[in-house]
Amino acid sequence: MNSADFTPLLTWAERQQAQMVERTIELARINSGTFNAAGVDAVGERLLNWFATLDPQVERLELPPFERLGSQGQNEVHTLGHALRLRLRPEAPRQIFLGGHLDTVYASDDPFQQVNWLDPSRLHGPGVTDMKGGLLVMLTALMALEQHPSAEGLGWEVLLNPDEEIGSPCSAPLIADAARRCQLGLLYEPALPDGSYAGQRKGSGNFSVLVKGRSAHAGRNLQEGRNAVRALADFISALDDLNGQRPGVTVNPAFIHGGGPLNQVPDSAMARFNIRIEAPEDERWCQQQLARLGAGINGRDGLSLQLQGDFGRKPKLLSSANLELFDLLRECAQALGLPMQLMPTGGCCDGNNLAAAGIPNIDTLGAEGGAIHSASEFLLVESLSRRAALSTRLLLELASGRLDQRFWPAA
Ligand SMILES: [Zn+2]
């Protein structure tokens, strides 16, 4: 296949700029904080409308509710929006996975809900970069691919999940399931702040801890009480002290709640924390430390500590197949005159999940911008067409058999 054949489609993708910006704004104006199921579904329905021109098979998949330890020690249950699975040509010899998330980190009561222009090149708004702009990049590239005859040989499966921002706890089985049908993955998370692509990624675990003690009157019989706040504070201090003890492992105690009236010894306190790991074997070390710290509290008279959670995302290491995929991306970027640099990151995404399922992937094909996960999030709007052209080229190369030797020897 002569790459010159691609030029009209790359140009076509670039010309979708105005529509991509318009649609990004439309999506960003709909709040889709992870626990706003209706908002997440509304974003999903807009996308389904736009994807409909490609006529894929569509499934709206219900996910189990997300459950975690609530601040009062109760079981907190959150309904999630639907996951959407779109497939085209499931019988084609080459099958690829494209992933994106519908949710954002901004809850429906977050003050950051507005979209506005900082200047003609930067759009400020919730989720514009992470990852509503990225979803448009994906859609546009697929629309370009479908105009080329070589698309016939490439089947694709898009999964739009509603819970990525909380670690994809409920959609993880859908990603693992797709990994059985697809041989490589493209994910539309934002580029790193300098425009680089994420290479190796750390693994991540989310945990909750609940300490129960015994209440007593602060004045009459304090010594009969067992102070849960104090015990939890000790646990958290020891937990934070794990920072620096093992290279690549970091711990972030992030949420704490406990106690009540000032004249009562508190009998309950809870906290949530996140751990990042670099190597697969770090997980065992962390579990041992958690067990040790937990036992320290459980060994105290009248106090008990209960720990929940696990490492939902394993470290993403780059296999030789993954490096080969990056080589093709580099070539596509160079052909378009774009820089292409790989950087390791402590952040996680569904690329971790895919890699854990044995599927090489590139997970930062989405938009460029900055300050994601903050009220200053902005999108570099010109990156939309640039990135759409890049993905278009990558898809066309894959459809033309460029990586057949590695991924589809029988195609
Ligand atoms: Zn994201």
Side-chain angles (χ1 to χ4, degrees):
M1 170 72 50
N2 181 350
S3 298
D5 291 347
F6 301 160
T7 311
L9 288 174
L10 302 179
T11 309
W12 180 88
E14 280 167 1
R15 288 206 182 123
Q16 306 313 303
Q17 172 70 10
Q19 190 183 61
M20 282 192 275
V21 173
E22 193 184 300
R23 288 177 166 182
T24 300
I25 293 173
E26 192 175 333
L27 294 185
R29 282 189 175 142
I30 306 170
N31 176 277
S32 64
T34 311
F35 298 144
N36 176 7
V40 168
D41 281 345
V43 168
E45 290 304 317
R46 285 305 152 97
L47 284 159
L48 284 183
N49 276 340
W50 300 333
F51 268 97
T53 57
L54 304 178
D55 203 22
Q57 300 170 8
V58 173
E59 292 165 89
R60 291 175 178 80
L61 304 161
E62 205 158 309
L63 298 186
F66 172 65
E67 298 185 28
R68 69 175 173 184
L69 184 68
S71 60
Q72 310 295 327
Q74 83 287 21
N75 189 31
E76 187 182 295
V77 180
H78 295 276
T79 306
L80 296 173
H82 290 78
L84 304 175
R85 183 157 60 202
L86 299 85
R87 298 187 72 193
L88 196 65
R89 291 183 298 273
E91 71 294 338
R94 307 174 185 89
Q95 294 293 322
I96 64 168
F97 176 87
L98 295 98
H101 58 86
L102 302 166
D103 63 328
T104 70
V105 295
Y106 312 102
S108 52
D109 60 355
D110 191 293
F112 183 37
Q113 304 288 344
Q114 300 300 316
V115 183
N116 60 285
W117 291 93
L118 297 176
D119 56 55
S121 65
R122 292 183 303 156
L123 182 70
H124 170 235
V128 286
T129 298
D130 187 11
M131 68 177 326
K132 288 167 175 174
L135 294 170
L136 271 308
V137 171
M138 179 209 291
L139 170 63
T140 305
L142 286 172
M143 288 166 81
L145 167 74
E146 293 305 319
Q147 299 173 45
H148 198 276
S150 68
E152 279 310 305
L154 183 71
W156 49 260
E157 173 164 347
V158 168
L159 182 71
L160 303 173
N161 58 354
D163 60 343
E164 195 279 337
E165 293 294 5
I166 54 168
S168 305
C170 301
S171 63
L174 297 178
I175 300 169
D177 185 47
R180 284 196 283 271
R181 296 183 288 271
C182 301
Q183 290 79 45
L184 62 82
L186 308 177
L187 293 158
Y188 287 80
E189 289 293 347
L192 299 181
D194 65 351
S196 301
Y197 297 81
Q200 195 167 317
R201 285 184 182 268
K202 283 191 170 187
S204 170
N206 290 328
F207 297 86
S208 301
V209 59
L210 175 66
V211 175
K212 288 285 188 191
R214 189 191 306 144
S215 74
H217 192 287
R220 293 187 182 196
N221 58 343
L222 178 102
Q223 57 292 352
E224 284 169 32
R226 295 294 178 265
N227 194 316
V229 166
R230 167 61 200 262
L232 181 61
D234 289 346
F235 178 84
I236 294 290
S237 301
L239 187 67
D240 191 62
D241 285 343
L242 295 178
N243 283 306
Q245 288 195 26
R246 187 174 167 102
V249 174
T250 56
V251 185
N252 182 40
F255 179 89
I256 187 161
H257 188 97
L262 300 191
N263 58 1
Q264 194 179 30
V265 175
D267 65 352
S268 177
M270 64 79 66
R272 299 193 191 109
F273 57 96
N274 174 263
I275 305 183
R276 301 280 160 144
I277 57 175
E278 199 166 81
E281 54 274 21
D282 293 338
E283 187 173 330
R284 213 168 83 94
W285 182 83
C286 290
Q287 297 287 13
Q288 283 166 349
Q289 301 304 316
L290 292 178
R292 178 177 64 80
L293 299 182
I297 303 297
N298 278 320
R300 298 184 188 179
D301 174 57
L303 285 155
S304 69
L305 178 145
Q306 205 189 316
L307 190 67
Q308 254 183 31
D310 60 16
F311 287 91
R313 281 174 167 158
K314 311 297 177 194
K316 179 182 176 184
L317 307 174
L318 297 182
S319 63
S320 57
N322 214 139
L323 290 171
E324 213 168 306
L325 185 55
F326 274 120
D327 284 343
L328 179 60
L329 178 70
R330 184 173 293 110
E331 194 189 304
C332 293
Q334 278 166 357
L336 293 168
L338 304 175
M340 149 68 198
Q341 249 190 327
L342 271 192
M343 294 285 286
T345 171
C348 302
C349 72
D350 291 336
N352 293 68
N353 299 54
L354 270 185
I359 301 301
N361 63 84
I362 302 174
D363 56 30
T364 31
L365 287 167
E368 291 166 42
I372 61 170
H373 294 199
S374 86
S376 307
E377 177 172 357
F378 68 90
L379 165 71
L380 293 169
V381 284
E382 264 139 47
S383 70
L384 292 177
S385 50
R386 192 157 66 219
R387 292 270 173 159
L390 178 64
S391 266
T392 298
R393 184 161 192 125
L394 186 60
L395 289 172
L396 290 169
E397 294 284 1
L398 293 171
S400 313
R402 272 299 299 280
L403 293 185
D404 279 3
Q405 268 192 342
R406 169 62 84 167
F407 292 101
W408 302 287

